Amino acid sequence: MGMKRKKEGGMEGDSAGTGTLGKAMAVLEAVVTAERPQRFTDILQSVHQPRGTLHRLLGHLVEEGLLAQRPDLSYEPGIRLLKFAYRSWSGNRFRKVAAPYLLHLHQLTGETVHLGVLREAEIIYVDKVESRQTVRMSSQIGKASPAYCTGIGKAALSVLPRSELQRISAGMAFHPFTAHTHRSKESLLAEIEEIRHDGHAFDREEHEAEICCVAAPISVPEHDLFGGISVTGPSYRVSLQQLTAWAPDVRKAAAKIEEEVRVRFGPGRETEATGPRVMSDAQRSL
């Protein structure tokens, strides 16, 4: 579900997300997505809010258990978020539909299988079946990764309306994670055209060194659902030839998931005119 998030919390008719709730969400996201606990000055630089407003919002978020303050006065995610995350994951309809197909690919390949959804320029992993091998992936459910350098991300981008793909790719910052990472929009879009033709994508050690995958897109536009499924393994164990051999099975699993989503979720509203920007009931369940 690769939709542009609809800003909420615009109090007094504010649709730009600068109302109280929008500001609080910006603070929460700045802390939750950071690699380390954030001090007040770190958050201030991230969200660019007045010091007094930020103090007040941090106090409210700590009081509600959404953030926690450490002894050194830095902030980290609060324990209450675990409850929300569990409820979101356990009740997610898309994950439940896809689960049998993830297990089938895992049994077929013995490698790690991922399920992800597109959120703007990122892929959010919503489920994972771990490899039976001793060397495993560092990916985690709920983790966000850039779409331009992941197999699922590129697969999901390939099924977006072209106008939406242009909008999202125009805002990407192409950080070079490895020597194989795309460095430009033009390079990415050229590969996206190949993916559209082939029906599957590869991650050729583009996000993590020595990690590769084959992925297929999952696209249900009437439910604003854009994502993918992948089989991932270390490059010393899984060659490009092997990934290519698995590609038909990955595509078949993705197609089955699409079909079952349409059956289980029922009729939806086509959003061709606006692309994946309107948050649907299916998306809200993530």
Side-chain angles (χ1 to χ4, degrees):
M1 299 169 195
M3 296 83 233
K4 184 176 181 181
R5 283 177 298 185
K6 184 185 292 184
K7 295 291 186 179
E8 299 180 80
M11 300 180 72
E12 300 177 349
D14 178 9
S15 61
T18 56
T20 301
L21 181 56
K23 291 177 181 178
M25 289 301 297
V27 173
L28 183 63
E29 186 170 6
V31 176
V32 171
T33 60
E35 296 293 330
R36 57 178 175 78
Q38 298 287 282
R39 295 184 179 277
F40 181 85
T41 53
D42 298 324
I43 305 170
L44 189 65
Q45 292 176 358
S46 297
V47 301
H48 306 293
Q49 296 182 10
R51 297 179 70 92
T53 300
L54 182 56
H55 269 299
R56 184 174 67 255
L57 291 173
L58 285 169
H60 290 326
L61 291 169
V62 170
E63 183 178 354
E64 294 296 329
L66 299 175
L67 293 180
Q69 192 167 33
R70 295 159 58 95
D72 64 0
L73 302 184
S74 63
Y75 295 88
E76 63 183 4
I79 197 72
R80 190 176 181 188
L81 289 176
L82 292 176
K83 177 182 178 180
F84 293 159
Y86 172 75
R87 293 287 296 177
S88 176
W89 182 83
S90 64
N92 180 265
R93 293 190 295 161
F94 176 50
R95 181 192 67 80
K96 289 179 178 178
V97 166
Y101 303 101
L102 269 66
L103 288 173
H104 171 72
L105 284 178
H106 170 67
Q107 292 166 357
L108 179 69
T109 66
E111 298 295 342
T112 299
V113 181
H114 291 105
L115 178 71
V117 294
L118 189 68
R119 296 282 195 175
E120 282 295 291
E122 293 182 320
I123 277 293
I124 309 297
Y125 294 105
V126 296
D127 209 352
K128 172 183 179 181
V129 181
E130 190 69 79
S131 169
R132 297 190 294 264
Q133 310 295 334
T134 54
V135 176
R136 299 182 177 182
M137 307 300 104
S138 62
S139 56
Q140 297 177 345
I141 295 173
K143 184 177 181 179
S145 295
Y148 66 85
C149 59
T150 54
I152 289 182
K154 292 185 294 182
L157 290 173
S158 76
V159 289
L160 288 180
R162 292 185 184 276
S163 59
E164 193 70 8
L165 174 61
Q166 287 289 339
R167 181 189 68 79
I168 291 175
S169 61
M172 290 178 176
F174 290 87
H175 175 76
F177 290 94
T178 74
H180 305 286
T181 307
H182 282 291
R183 301 299 204 271
S184 69
K185 170 185 172 181
E186 292 71 24
S187 173
L188 172 66
L189 293 182
E191 184 181 1
I192 293 299
E193 287 305 312
E194 296 178 6
I195 296 169
R196 287 183 189 272
H197 177 269
D198 297 337
H200 59 264
F202 295 106
D203 175 351
R204 303 176 178 88
E205 302 183 52
E206 297 162 49
H207 190 211
E208 296 181 64
E210 301 181 357
I211 298 298
C212 56
C213 86
V214 59
I218 295 172
S219 172
V220 190
E222 60 268 33
H223 288 288
D224 302 314
L225 170 55
F226 299 87
I229 188 172
S230 70
V231 175
T232 307
S235 56
Y236 76 83
R237 190 169 68 218
V238 179
S239 66
L240 182 59
Q241 182 179 10
Q242 177 64 79
L243 292 173
T244 303
W246 285 335
D249 294 296
V250 179
R251 293 196 304 267
K252 186 182 299 183
K256 290 290 187 180
I257 293 170
E258 285 184 6
E259 180 182 358
E260 194 160 343
V261 165
R262 288 188 171 97
V263 171
R264 290 205 190 183
F265 287 16
R269 183 179 64 181
E270 275 293 345
T271 57
E272 186 66 28
T274 59
R277 298 187 182 186
V278 180
M279 187 177 291
S280 66
D281 291 340
Q283 184 185 11
R284 291 189 188 98
S285 70
L286 287 177

